[in-house]
Amino acid sequence: MRRDFSAPSFSVRRVIYWVLGLQVLIAVLLMGGDLLRALPYIGGRSDSPAFDTPVNPGDQTRRYRPRDMPLAPAREGNPDRPYRSTGDMPDRLTFVREGETLLVTGGITEGDAKRFRDYLAAEEEAGAAPFGAVRLNSPGGAVADALAIGRHLRKAALDTFLGAGDICLSACPYVLASGVNRAVSDEAQVGVHQHYFGQSTVLPAFMAVEDVQRGQGEVMMYLEAMGIDPLLMQHALVTPPEEIYVFLPAQLRDYRLVLTQDEPS
């Protein structure tokens, strides 16, 4: 009897369907597990105190919802800015000249690094006096753009600082880290937490882990290049996105996020 080899046998088709079904099942289970882990982040639930609760050693994790976070009231040395909370801040960075200081305020979004470079180039072409320092007031945002802005700041040999009442959270500390000299008012707040590096938490783990690890590695190499102790990242890695770990002034000095002209760079 002649056997037809032009089509797979019934048993082969069953194996193919079984393998495809198993792959679909694995994908569903992985996505379901990732979704369950992401639900607390999506809902923004956290048992930590509100952001405006004073921090103390060992009690430095605070709830982090950028649209609801209050800013410190105006104090001596703090410009009268029209921001009652981070929700009032611009959704993307704004750049304002105050003498030789550049005020950088608002969320960091994709494309802000290019806008920042274009702004500095336009100032230079217009013959404006060069900036000496950048003052930051930002709830953070896109990590890649924060790193790109920081590299450009270091190349331009600019200082960075926070004044009284300013905040620098999430990805913003990576911009702060780029200053040749770095200063933070005792009445300012600097904090970090986990980042997504452009990936959604509901993606299957096997698709997201590689990008997350690559992003974390890039941040650690960036911090080392800027003269920052990479151990700073330990606080970011263990703090979920719906919370923020706020540094104490002594920690800022220990991790070298604060660096005065009297210290070696």
Side-chain angles (χ1 to χ4, degrees):
M1 181 178 65
R2 185 176 180 181
R3 189 173 181 181
D4 184 6
F5 292 97
S6 61
S9 66
F10 176 72
S11 60
V12 173
R13 287 199 299 271
R14 287 184 60 184
V15 171
I16 293 174
Y17 294 151
W18 184 85
V19 170
L20 290 175
L22 181 61
Q23 289 177 335
V24 171
L25 178 61
I26 292 174
V28 169
L29 291 175
L30 287 171
M31 292 182 67
D34 287 343
L35 181 59
L36 288 175
R37 287 190 293 271
L39 286 178
Y41 303 155
I42 295 172
R45 295 192 300 270
S46 171
D47 295 331
S48 297
F51 181 76
D52 54 354
T53 304
V55 298
N56 295 293
D59 177 28
Q60 297 162 244
T61 303
R62 295 293 177 263
R63 290 199 300 271
Y64 180 74
R65 297 190 64 176
R67 305 303 298 182
D68 301 332
M69 288 172 43
L71 294 180
R75 300 184 178 92
E76 184 179 354
N78 184 30
D80 183 17
R81 300 180 186 175
Y83 307 125
R84 294 168 300 174
S85 72
T86 54
D88 295 328
M89 284 185 171
D91 290 334
R92 62 190 318 180
L93 291 179
T94 60
F95 314 116
V96 178
R97 173 184 283 273
E98 283 193 357
E100 294 184 357
T101 297
L102 174 60
L103 302 181
V104 177
T105 306
I108 305 172
T109 60
E110 185 176 352
D112 276 349
K114 181 180 184 304
R115 292 178 56 244
F116 179 72
R117 292 192 298 268
D118 291 345
Y119 173 84
L120 292 183
E123 288 284 297
E124 184 178 358
E125 291 177 4
F131 291 109
V134 173
R135 180 172 183 172
L136 299 168
N137 193 16
S138 169
V143 177
D145 280 77
L147 299 182
I149 291 172
R151 292 188 181 101
H152 194 73
L153 281 174
R154 178 58 64 90
K155 184 177 180 180
L158 296 176
D159 297 338
T160 54
F161 72 99
L162 271 66
D166 293 338
I167 61 171
C168 187
L169 308 174
S170 184
C172 176
Y174 306 140
V175 182
L176 172 65
S178 69
V180 175
N181 294 289
R182 306 175 286 274
V184 175
S185 167
D186 287 343
E187 296 184 1
Q189 291 172 301
V190 179
V192 294
H193 63 176
Q194 295 171 1
H195 300 292
Y196 293 137
F197 299 101
Q199 290 288 351
S200 170
T201 57
V202 297
L203 286 176
F206 67 88
M207 296 176 62
V209 168
E210 182 179 354
D211 287 331
V212 170
Q213 290 179 336
R214 183 185 299 112
Q216 291 171 346
E218 181 181 359
V219 170
M220 295 184 72
M221 289 187 294
Y222 169 90
L223 291 174
E224 185 175 15
M226 296 297 168
I228 309 298
D229 187 345
L231 282 176
L232 173 147
M233 280 293 291
Q234 64 182 311
H235 304 292
L237 294 174
V238 300
T239 305
E242 80 276 12
E243 297 178 346
I244 200 82
Y245 180 91
V246 181
F247 291 107
L248 299 171
Q251 290 178 302
L252 294 175
R253 294 189 294 270
D254 290 342
Y255 292 128
R256 298 176 65 81
L257 269 176
V258 166
L259 181 68
T260 67
Q261 293 179 347
D262 296 330
E263 296 176 286
S265 59

